[in-house]
Amino acid sequence: MTCSISSLQAQAQNKIVRLLGLQQAEARIEVQALLRSILNASNAWLIAHSKDMIEPEKLSGFEVLLERRLKGEPVAYIVGFREFYGMDFRVSGDVLIPRPETELLVDLALDRIPENGNFRVLDLGTGSGIIAISVARQRKNALVTAAEKSSRALSVAKMNGKGIENIRFVESDWFDALCGEKYDLILSNPPYIPEEDRHLEDLKHEPALALTSGKDGLDAIRKIIEEAPAHLEPGGWLLFEHGYDQGEICRKLLSKSFHEVYSWKDLSGIERVSGGRLTSR
Ligand code: GLN
């Protein structure tokens, strides 16, 4: 059986909507990603060639990927990459899939890094490296350290950071391997979902290490807030991502050691990043 690229897209899109309950627009993006990886093509190519017939072996390749998707595997893991802050990042089951709301953390970081002069940035629990690498690409003068406990995740981050000169990768359980080091800015998207949270069922393909942190989800955040002051220069900032209902408790925890404590909302209007600043001297 053969069919055109556009009719294959329409059929696959409908299946995803029907069986996984996605919106049409999301399903379209997913189908495009699967097709692009099979055809090794850009979105522009897909549009220009929508009336072309798809070759039988490409068609069966596509059907294998679609089947995996319909069984629940996330598209980012099937195709092996996800776009974040304008760049494609490699991802595997060892790292969290990049979320668009994490771009807020990168924006807030860039607001605080001058375009000139030395500036030391630390990204704790870098995973696939999205935060550290996006910052390093936008601020060539900054020296970025990307720390990660999982060696498997760290090798994904290193692959993503290839060719970027102002970044270094360190295997470290939070601050453990960074003894005596100081930074102007510390960033993190730590695990923050409570251990028994019912949302975890939807995230079962992603590594638990990157998702959950103790009974209330705040173990990692408490540790970071506690230990960050010893690793920050006077006037330095700590900024981290957290769960939809954790803004208030995070501000409370921060205000013990930091001033200028704030939370920032993501595009859905949810408090998503909190942070504070050390006093200048
Ligand atoms: N933002 C992710 C989610 O709720 C969780 C990521 C994290 O724990 N850092 O789906």
Side-chain angles (χ1 to χ4, degrees), residues 209-281:
L209 181 70
L211 291 170
T212 60
S213 193
K215 246 185 150 60
D216 61 358
L218 291 164
D219 283 6
I221 286 175
R222 272 189 290 264
K223 187 171 171 75
I224 292 169
I225 292 176
E226 222 163 90
E227 297 186 17
H231 293 273
L232 278 170
E233 298 289 353
W237 280 92
L238 166 66
L239 300 169
F240 58 88
E241 182 174 315
H242 53 69
Y244 70 97
D245 56 355
Q246 294 170 336
E248 191 180 340
I249 177 76
C250 287
R251 289 193 298 278
K252 200 168 152 204
L253 291 167
L254 279 160
S255 49
K256 289 180 194 151
S257 320
F258 293 85
H259 73 134
E260 295 189 49
V261 169
Y262 303 104
S263 298
W264 291 268
K265 290 181 177 166
D266 65 18
L267 291 174
S268 319
I270 293 166
E271 285 181 345
R272 182 57 69 186
V273 172
S274 290
R277 193 173 191 189
L278 275 196
T279 45
S280 295
R281 43 190 348 271

Side-chain angles (χ1 to χ4, degrees), residues 96 99 101 189-193 203 210-211 241 272:
L96 199 71
R99 309 286 204 271
E101 57 268 29
N189 176 14
Y192 52 69
I193 301 177
L203 306 173
L211 291 170
E241 182 174 315
R272 182 57 69 186

